[in-house]
Each structure stands twice: as C-alpha cells, then as structure tokens.
Amino acid sequence: MQEISPDFDFLFNNLNKMAYIFFDPTHFGPVNKKMAVFCSSEIHELEGQSISVILDQKEIETVKKFNQKIFEDGLCKSAKMEIEINNELHIIEVETIPHHNQMGQVDYLLCLAEDITAEIEKEERFYRNKKRYSSIFKKAPLAFVVSDRKTNIIDWNDKAEEIFGWQKEEVINKNFNLIVAEESYSEITDVVENVFEGEKSYNINKNIAKDGSELYCEWNTALIKDKNDKILEIISIAQDISEKIKTKQRIKNQKEELKYSELRTQFFANISHELKTPLNLIFSSLQLLDYKLQNTDSKQTNQFAKYLSSIRNNGFRLLRLVNNLIDLTKIDVNTFQLHRGNFDIIELVKSVVESTADYLETKNRNFRFECELDSQIIACDPFNIERVILNLISNAVKFTAEGDEILLRIEKEGARVKISLRDTGIGIKKENQDIIFEQFRQVDQNFNKKREGSGIGLSLVKSIVEMHGGTITLDSIYGIYSCFNVYLPVDKIDEKTLAAESYAADSLLNKVELEFSDINYI
Ligand code: ADP
C-alpha cells in the first residue's frame, strides 16, 4: 500500500465525512473511522480489501465503472449511490477526487462520502406533504387566504374565489382589508396582533364581496413559521355563515314581533274596555239631558241642542274607534266571528243608502245609486256588511269636496255580486294603493291633516269582506277618482250554520251616526 503524508493522515481521520482511497477501481486503500463505522466494520477489515466486502455484484460493477472512468479522465466527479449495509438501504453522496502524480497520471482516488438517506427521506416527505397540502388547499370546501406579515394577500383558493367573487390574480398583493367590511377593520387588526403574539384566533367577521354584497364568515387564523421561528405567512380559513346568521336574526325578529304583537293585543284589549266605560256614561247622561231639554223653554233649547249634538257626535266618534279597535284585536287573535244569514244584499245596500241620504245631501255631494238587480240573496252578516258599505261611503265623503260625484253600483258578475263605490275626489297615489288596506296606515300621516280618522277602517273592511269569502280591489288615478270594488260570492248558508251564527239586529241609524261621526266632527 502506498504511503500518505502525516498531515493528510490527520485530516483524513478527523474529517466529518466518510473518507477512503482507491489505488485501483475495486480495492480500498486507507479508510477513515467514519467510513468503517458506516460499514459496521473495523478499519483493518476494509483497508486493502476488495469493495466486494461491502457491496453486492451489481454495486461492484457500478463502482468499478465509475472509478475506472476517473482513473482515465482524471476529473472530479460526484454521484449519489444506493448501497445496502446490514440489510438497510442507504443513499450516499460521494465526491471522488483523482490525485495526479508528477507524471500527470492518476495514482489514487480520494473519496469523500456522506450518508444522505435521512435528508432525502425528509425531502421526500416534505414534497409529499406539499403535494397533499396543495391539493387540499385548492379544492377545500373552506376559503383559504394566505397573506404575508403585512397582511397582503399572497395566495387564495377556489372557495375563496367563490365566496368573495375575486379571481386569485386580482387579489394578489392587495391588502386583506379588501374583503373586510369597514366596520370590522379594527377587529382584524386585533386578530393579527393576537396571532403574532402566538394565540390561535377564532372570530366572526362582516366581510364584503367583489359585488359589494355583505357576508358573515367564521375565521380561523394561524401563523406559519420556519424552523427558526421566523414568520413566513398568515393563513386564514373562512366559512361563509351568512345564512346561519340571517336565520338566527330572522328567528330573533320573529320572537320580538310575536312578543310585540302579544303586548299590542293585550294593550288594545285593555284600553278598549277602559274607553268604553266612560263612553257608556256619556251616552246615558246624554239621554237624561235630552229628556230634561224637552221640558225647557225654546230659546235655551237651541243652545243646549248644539252642545249636546257635539257631545253626542264626539261620543260616537270615540265609540266607533273603540269598536273598530276591539274588532281588529279580535281579528288578530282569530276570535272575530261573523253572524251570517241568507239576506238580500240589494235590500241591505239600499237601506244603507237611504239612511245616509240626509248626510250626503247636507254635505252637497252628488250621490247616485245604480242597481240592475231587484234582489239577490247571499250568505252574509248584515251588521258587518252595513259597516263595510258605510265605511266606504264615509271615506268617499271624507276625500271629496262639495259638488263631487259619488256613484254606488251593484251588479252581478258571474257567481259574484260586485258593489263598487266610485268618487271623483282626491284619488290615491299608486304607491299608496296597497298600504291603505294595512292596519293604522293613512296616506296623510302628518298631524295637521284636515281629515279625521284612525287608519283602521279599510283594514277592517278588507278583513270583513275576506271573511265572507270575498275580495276588495281599488282602482284609482291620483287627483281624478277612486273606485273601491267589493266582490261577494253568491252563496247561501244551510240551516245548521244559520243557527250557529245567530244575528242580533241593531238600529241602522245608530250605525250611520257612528260611521259618519268623523265627518261630523264639531
Ligand atoms: P281612516 O279612518 O283614516 O279613513 P281608512 O282605513 O278608512 O282610515 O282609510 C285609510 C286611508 O286611505 C285614508 O286615510 C285615505 O288616505 C285613503 N282613502 C280611503 N278612502 C279614500 C277615498 N275614497 N279617496 C281617497 N283616499 C282614500
């Protein structure tokens, strides 16, 4: 075996790598300790020996060829080799350096080798993980938003595109705030601070999509650091929970509405009865005064009569309001009951017209009544039908001026009776034509309104008509005319139902006075 210098010997044995020498392509020269340990051998078991002591036939051939080439070319070469030691496969990276003698020939090869099995495995694992992660990242059912330390977006997945509406290319390098509603900016700053302090973060944010629509997302945010704890990126994972939040809000609103509606019902029930007691007292006192007046001289009577009429009319106004409120409350809680019978609707409407004739005349309205039918029996509650007609007529008077026309018409249309009331008054704007049938809705809502009323009448009229199986429609041109059409089915009621819904008659004249009390306001 050739000699090597002592300096070289020292280096050779203390190298951090495996080192060995080849004097020919297949035989080891000196071998360092590290190499011996790697081969699970002693140094002397390797030195001067054929490579066959550690390699199998196939490996021998590869090494032989490799070494031969370097002996011939005289050039350094690196290679990765797989060798099996003690039934374990190792990957080593070998750097082979040819030594040239004074004649320029290669006299030996110095090999420096490193076992890189663990590193390779780590690398492979890393790539496998990366591949797995990137496919999850792309197709996950959650939105992934990756941003840098300054919260500028550097990547996001398909779901983020779907939720926020921005393409990936459009958001790269834009700040995360791009998808945050302004009112949540400060919250995001807190989240980032918490995350930088090492806390995991969970929060619900109001976000904003490309089209400006608002959505609520549940966010989980975490830091990705390298092995030296340096922050690489911030990863935020979001789930769109807008529907969940909306449903929660809807349920909350419904509960509140229910509570409010119960309160309102209770309030009306209480207030209505509270109002009725003093009213009854007013009316009985009125009766008494009427009686006394008959026995007083005529000069005083005139004055008293004026005041009495005011008390009487205002009493009726209050009574009408209370009655309507009670009925509306009953309708709300489904306890309003009709008392139907088989009645001649023509006769019913005619008697209402007759009873209002005096009023209409004093108000100077040009009133006409048209009817092609002699009689038509239908199942109806006369008390409530009279209320419907009276309410429509009183509205027609309220919203017309002297000399205006009011036309009440009854006709048969298929299996329905149509009662229409048309006036040439102020009319109703298109946008108000639906809301006037809602409870408490009046077109003229300001306090200085010229006409009295509570906004209850038409909603009650609609409910009563619908309880009869009918409908009410409105046709109007603002400033020109209003026409309310009531359609009632031509049905008859059988004996059994008739007995169940008995009818208590009331004086129609009293009702006229009641319905017209708003107009007679003194
Ligand atoms: P109110 O007691 O205030 O009259 P209604 O429910 O009967 O309540 O009517 C609701 C609103 O509908 C009225 O305040 C008025 O603005 C409008 N309205 C009803 N009838 C007419 C009509 N014939 N012409 C014009 N507007 C009408």
Side-chain angles (χ1 to χ4, degrees):
M1 221 165 56
Q2 290 177 26
E3 289 295 316
I4 48 175
S5 76
D7 282 353
F8 180 83
D9 211 19
F10 174 77
L11 270 175
F12 190 73
N13 282 316
N14 287 291
L15 262 176
N16 203 19
K17 288 190 175 186
M18 296 181 266
Y20 46 96
I21 281 172
F22 283 116
F23 290 119
D24 70 57
T26 54
H27 285 85
F28 288 118
V31 170
N32 76 352
K33 183 79 188 151
K34 225 172 156 106
M35 174 64 174
V37 170
F38 173 70
C39 298
S40 311
S41 305
E42 294 297 327
I43 292 179
H44 70 266
E45 290 174 323
L46 296 171
E47 275 184 346
Q49 299 300 316
S50 159
I51 51 175
S52 63
V53 292
I54 57 161
L55 302 179
D56 66 21
Q57 199 50 44
K58 211 173 133 216
E59 290 165 347
I60 294 170
E61 282 310 311
T62 319
V63 173
K64 190 175 162 188
K65 256 195 213 157
F66 184 81
N67 286 349
Q68 263 170 351
K69 185 116 177 64
I70 302 176
F71 269 109
E72 282 160 22
D73 297 348
L75 300 171
C76 271
K77 226 173 159 187
S78 300
K80 276 192 189 119
M81 283 181 201
E82 280 184 10
I83 56 169
E84 206 180 300
I85 308 272
N86 291 341
N87 294 327
E88 256 185 60
L89 193 69
H90 290 262
I91 299 164
I92 61 168
E93 193 170 39
V94 189
E95 203 182 351
T96 308
I97 309 153
H99 180 264
H100 297 264
N101 63 18
Q102 282 166 348
M103 283 134 68
Q105 288 163 333
V106 176
D107 53 357
Y108 65 87
L109 309 180
L110 167 64
C111 300
L112 300 171
E114 221 178 338
D115 183 357
I116 55 165
T117 320
E119 239 169 82
I120 294 269
E121 264 177 14
K122 215 159 119 187
E123 215 169 277
E124 274 179 3
R125 221 173 19 242
F126 173 73
Y127 279 111
R128 267 203 312 273
N129 281 347
K130 198 170 168 191
K131 222 170 142 193
R132 210 179 295 143
Y133 167 71
S134 62
S135 63
I136 291 173
F137 180 84
K138 194 162 165 46
K139 294 287 164 213
L142 301 169
F144 278 67
V145 181
V146 186
S147 31
D148 63 15
R149 293 177 54 93
K150 292 180 184 157
T151 65
N152 290 326
I153 299 170
I154 50 180
D155 199 2
W156 83 358
N157 68 348
D158 293 358
K159 190 69 186 178
E161 277 186 7
E162 183 193 316
I163 294 183
F164 302 111
W166 298 93
Q167 295 296 302
K168 185 168 153 181
E169 304 76 60
E170 295 176 293
V171 295
I172 297 296
N173 289 331
K174 298 255 168 66
N175 194 274
F176 190 88
N177 278 347
L178 176 75
I179 52 166
V180 178
E182 235 173 280
E183 67 223 62
S184 296
Y185 282 179
S186 62
E187 229 176 289
I188 294 294
T189 314
D190 290 348
V191 168
V192 174
E193 272 172 16
N194 283 348
V195 171
F196 278 165
E197 275 165 21
E199 285 170 34
K200 271 194 194 149
S201 166
Y202 165 85
N203 66 313
I204 292 175
N205 261 143
K206 197 174 189 184
N207 291 96
I208 201 126
K210 186 181 179 180
D211 63 5
S213 58
E214 289 178 342
L215 58 151
Y216 287 91
C217 291
E218 204 170 47
W219 289 92
N220 275 293
T221 307
L223 288 182
I224 306 281
K225 294 180 180 174
D226 68 6
K227 58 178 181 235
N228 301 319
D229 243 20
K230 188 176 156 232
I231 295 165
L232 296 177
E233 47 198 38
I234 307 165
I235 183 150
S236 314
I237 305 168
Q239 189 177 8
D240 182 0
I241 53 159
S242 310
E243 270 315 306
K244 221 159 95 180
I245 297 254
K246 273 187 209 150
T247 314
K248 245 187 186 170
Q249 190 60 42
R250 238 190 336 262
I251 292 171
K252 197 175 154 216
N253 289 350
Q254 275 167 359
K255 274 190 186 159
E256 270 169 18
E257 175 56 32
L258 197 72
K259 206 171 142 201
Y260 171 70
S261 133
E262 277 168 8
L263 273 177
R264 197 180 44 186
T265 309
Q266 192 57 44
F267 171 77
F268 280 144
N270 292 345
I271 197 97
S272 307
H273 288 106
E274 284 299 315
L275 283 166
K276 265 201 144 170
T277 318
L279 271 175
N280 286 336
L281 286 174
I282 291 175
F283 285 122
S284 48
S285 308
L286 207 65
Q287 246 173 343
L288 199 72
L289 276 172
D290 261 341
Y291 171 77
K292 291 254 180 204
L293 260 179
Q294 282 160 17
N295 306 317
T296 326
D297 70 73
S298 67
K299 206 175 157 201
Q300 268 181 314
T301 314
N302 280 346
Q303 250 193 338
F304 279 138
K306 195 178 142 212
Y307 296 129
L308 280 177
S309 139
S310 171
I311 296 172
R312 187 178 168 82
N313 194 57
N314 283 297
F316 274 126
R317 285 185 66 209
L318 269 176
L319 189 61
R320 175 178 177 256
L321 175 65
V322 173
N323 283 342
N324 284 352
L325 273 175
I326 291 176
D327 287 344
L328 214 60
T329 314
K330 281 184 182 166
I331 287 170
D332 271 353
V333 294
N334 288 328
T335 56
F336 184 87
Q337 227 206 327
L338 289 183
H339 300 283
R340 288 178 305 165
N342 295 320
F343 291 93
D344 185 353
I345 185 74
I346 313 295
E347 202 179 296
L348 213 69
V349 176
K350 267 186 188 161
S351 60
V352 175
V353 170
E354 275 160 23
S355 61
T356 55
D358 286 350
Y359 277 97
L360 293 168
E361 219 177 280
T362 54
K363 295 285 162 193
N364 284 327
R365 303 299 192 262
N366 192 353
F367 183 81
R368 274 188 303 135
F369 175 60
E370 285 178 6
C371 181
E372 294 162 355
L373 305 160
D374 288 335
S375 86
Q376 180 65 61
I377 305 289
I378 65 163
C380 66
D381 175 340
F383 170 77
N384 281 305
I385 290 296
E386 279 165 2
R387 263 170 103 183
V388 167
I389 309 297
L390 280 172
N391 188 285
L392 293 179
I393 297 179
S394 76
N395 272 349
V397 176
K398 241 195 275 184
F399 300 101
T400 48
E402 284 197 9
D404 267 326
E405 272 179 29
I406 301 174
L407 171 66
L408 175 60
R409 225 183 117 75
I410 314 183
E411 59 202 306
K412 206 169 160 194
E413 248 191 35
R416 301 183 303 177
V417 172
K418 177 181 173 188
I419 306 165
S420 59
L421 199 82
R422 189 187 166 97
D423 66 67
T424 55
I426 62 170
I428 299 162
K429 285 184 188 156
K430 196 112 208 115
E431 67 263 28
N432 293 325
Q433 290 185 8
D434 283 333
I435 65 165
I436 57 163
F437 291 104
E438 289 171 22
Q439 288 180 10
F440 316 119
R441 297 299 285 262
Q442 293 172 307
V443 176
D444 184 4
Q445 293 278 23
N446 66 45
F447 287 105
N448 302 322
K449 60 184 184 197
K450 294 177 208 81
R451 300 169 184 88
E452 302 301 318
S454 57
I456 297 178
L458 281 178
S459 99
L460 207 60
V461 162
K462 187 169 186 267
S463 297
I464 292 171
V465 170
E466 285 172 357
M467 284 174 87
H468 276 85
T471 48
I472 179 162
T473 62
L474 165 66
D475 167 29
S476 174
I477 296 178
Y478 184 58
I480 301 187
Y481 73 93
S482 300
C483 183
F484 289 87
N485 304 301
V486 173
Y487 297 89
L488 294 172
V490 182
D491 285 340
K492 279 197 193 122
I493 203 166
D494 58 39
E495 293 294 320
K496 241 164 70 195
T497 328
L498 201 80
E501 297 183 23
S502 65
Y503 169 65
D506 190 13
S507 145
L508 184 55
L509 267 176
N510 269 353
K511 275 180 274 166
V512 174
E513 211 161 357
L514 209 62
E515 283 301 328
F516 279 63
S517 50
D518 277 350
I519 305 166
N520 287 337
Y521 180 56
I522 303 169

